[in-house]
Amino acid sequence: MKKLVAFALTGTLAVSMLAGCDQGSDSGNSTNENSKSENSGDASGRHTIAASIPLTGNLMQYGISYQNALKMAVEDFNAAGGLDGEDVILEINDDKGDQKEAINLANKIIEEDDVFAVVGSFGSSVSMAAAPVYQKASMPMVSPNTSHPDFPGMGDMLIPVSPVADIERTATAKMLYDQFDGKDLAILHQNTDLGVTGAQILTEVYEELGGKVVMTDNFVPQQTKDFTPLISKIKEAKPGILYIDGEYNDVANILIQIDNIGLDGVQIAGPGNVFKQEFLDIAGEKANGIVLAGTTPVYLDSIMQVADYTDYLKDFTTRYNEKYPDTPCDGFAASAYDSAMLAMTAAKNVGTDDPKALVEEMLTVPIEITSGKNMSFENGNNVVKDVFVYTVIDGEFAPYDY
């Protein structure tokens, strides 16, 4: 028997689709409310998981990955029995990657009687803007990639799936110091709350190890196009290592301009944000030799063949790529999939009527994950995962042994 999964987009017609198998789907103009009425009345209480993600604007590429993975997660969960035999409904809202829009959506979502958890958003600043609304309403908020160190402390209803920046930056600082003989470090980061915080953490840890940070500067993400003045300042500082913190397209463009200008003898490093095929498509062999550290793995076939990944992660990646060939699987998709599965599995285990019990169950990590390795929570809602390190050889990602 086919399962009914409903998807609602804010400001547009809702779309429902039959999702018992992947061969095809029937769509129509039924609303989320109509779908809700068909699924109401079981012992589990609420049935809707809402999402607040950027589907328009500068961050829409991440929102599309989120949307794909969330749909897949709900389909998988419902195919396995759902909540006491009833389907979970997925409600997708476009927050445009905008703080005010995310707050407006949060106020809308918390008024919806059937919602038991929300997934969102992309970008720490957007998630942290909306978080107080969900916290005050005791609405569990599962955030796929919010890694600002202050996020977990904003409330006990907040469940991050990505570790805070401290973990990745601390591991990066130690790796760079040990592998490259404590050479002088320069940091170029995006001018966001997380970019500033990440640079501070990297500086503190590197200097505690005995290294020296000779320069720190920033750029406006998605807007700065000419990095020549910044690269010239880096050359004048004469570092032995340059750490570039930004989204994949900005980091790729910086590497291209470094290749044009020249930055001889400098080891370049970066974050897990760039673990995407799109990064390689832009930078190509100009990324050769870069060292990248992040808490989500690379999901490309070249890495899958040699990495020690679980069968569950490999199966997820294969199915995702078959289902969405135009948007290859990455850590953002995997984190969104895990976010939904975490909330739904916890709801299956303890029901949806008690949000605190739901959060407590999520913190036990009752699922196998696709977004990393060895996930656990410490000191409440602080998530911990292993760190993956890669390099680029001949324009392709490769494991980095150290």
Side-chain angles (χ1 to χ4, degrees):
M1 179 177 179
K2 292 185 176 180
K3 300 280 186 178
L4 180 68
V5 185
F7 306 101
L9 267 72
T10 297
T12 67
L13 290 175
V15 181
S16 65
M17 82 178 193
L18 291 171
C21 57
D22 289 338
Q23 280 76 11
S25 63
D26 299 325
S27 60
N29 290 333
S30 62
T31 66
N32 191 44
E33 288 299 319
N34 289 340
S35 299
K36 186 189 306 180
S37 65
E38 294 176 13
N39 288 286
S40 301
D42 75 304
S44 299
R46 304 180 179 196
H47 297 82
T48 299
I49 184 168
S52 176
I53 57 179
L55 294 174
T56 54
N58 291 335
L59 302 175
M60 65 179 292
Q61 67 267 34
Y62 303 104
I64 291 171
S65 290
Y66 278 7
Q67 178 176 242
N68 291 345
L70 291 171
K71 288 181 179 180
M72 185 171 164
V74 172
E75 290 173 8
D76 287 351
F77 186 80
N78 286 341
L83 293 177
D84 292 340
E86 299 290 340
D87 285 352
V88 169
I89 301 165
L90 174 61
E91 176 192 301
I92 298 178
N93 303 278
D94 179 16
D95 64 24
K96 303 178 177 61
D98 179 80
Q99 295 181 34
K100 291 183 179 179
E101 187 69 20
I103 293 171
N104 290 337
L105 285 176
N107 282 304
K108 177 188 82 75
I109 290 169
I110 62 173
E111 294 298 324
E112 297 174 0
D113 292 338
D114 201 52
V115 175
F116 64 86
V118 62
V119 175
S121 176
F122 180 83
S124 292
S125 60
V126 179
S127 296
M128 292 171 71
V133 179
Y134 296 117
Q135 176 64 30
K136 184 176 181 179
S138 293
M139 173 66 71
M141 177 190 187
V142 191
S143 189
N145 295 103
T146 299
S147 56
H148 194 287
D150 292 342
F151 180 69
M154 294 180 70
D156 58 2
M157 288 289 107
L158 313 178
I159 306 94
V161 170
S162 289
V164 296
D166 303 50
I167 292 177
E168 183 177 307
R169 299 302 187 274
T170 297
T172 298
K174 291 178 179 178
M175 182 268 295
L176 293 176
Y177 184 84
D178 292 341
Q179 284 296 108
F180 304 107
D181 302 320
K183 292 180 179 178
D184 289 351
L185 174 67
I187 301 171
L188 181 58
H189 64 87
Q190 57 185 341
N191 190 13
T192 62
D193 287 344
L194 184 59
V196 172
T197 302
Q200 291 172 345
I201 295 167
L202 189 61
T203 298
E204 290 172 5
V205 176
Y206 199 76
E207 291 183 342
E208 286 175 0
L209 292 168
K212 182 179 180 182
V213 177
V214 294
M215 192 200 88
T216 301
D217 213 325
N218 66 82
F219 58 90
V220 180
Q222 313 297 328
Q223 294 185 33
T224 301
K225 303 301 180 184
D226 182 7
F227 296 95
T228 303
L230 290 169
I231 297 170
S232 297
K233 290 177 65 176
I234 293 166
K235 291 183 72 171
E236 292 175 4
K238 299 180 179 179
I241 309 167
L242 169 63
Y243 184 84
I244 307 171
D245 184 11
E247 302 304 330
Y248 74 89
N249 47 356
D250 284 329
V251 175
N253 286 327
I254 292 170
L255 292 179
I256 292 170
Q257 293 183 38
I258 285 175
D259 183 73
N260 292 334
I261 297 171
L263 199 60
D264 296 337
V266 178
Q267 174 62 51
I268 300 177
N273 291 8
V274 306
F275 290 171
K276 294 173 69 69
Q277 179 61 47
E278 292 90 336
F279 168 72
L280 298 179
D281 292 342
I282 298 171
E285 294 192 358
K286 293 178 176 59
N288 284 351
I290 192 171
V291 178
L292 304 165
T295 54
T296 56
V298 169
Y299 294 83
L300 302 180
D301 288 342
S302 57
I303 295 294
M304 287 285 172
Q305 295 171 7
V306 298
D308 182 24
Y309 292 170
T310 65
D311 291 339
Y312 182 78
L313 189 156
K314 291 178 180 178
D315 175 70
F316 161 75
T317 305
T318 298
R319 292 190 301 112
Y320 182 96
N321 286 334
E322 289 174 351
K323 192 172 183 64
Y324 306 109
D326 295 332
T327 55
C329 185
D330 57 21
F332 302 106
S335 295
Y337 184 90
D338 286 350
S339 296
M341 278 296 187
L342 190 63
M344 293 186 294
T345 303
K348 181 178 180 180
N349 292 347
V350 302
T352 59
D353 293 329
D354 185 344
K356 287 190 178 296
L358 186 58
V359 168
E360 288 175 1
E361 180 65 13
M362 284 191 239
L363 296 180
T364 70
V365 194
I367 62 169
E368 188 170 358
I369 67 169
T370 66
S371 60
K373 190 175 181 180
N374 295 328
M375 176 176 169
S376 63
F377 287 91
E378 298 179 352
N379 302 318
N381 59 347
N382 290 278
V383 67
V384 177
K385 290 179 182 176
D386 289 356
V387 174
F388 297 85
V389 183
Y390 301 95
T391 187
V392 176
I393 300 174
D394 297 329
E396 300 289 342
F397 289 118
Y400 183 80
D401 296 323
Y402 70 101

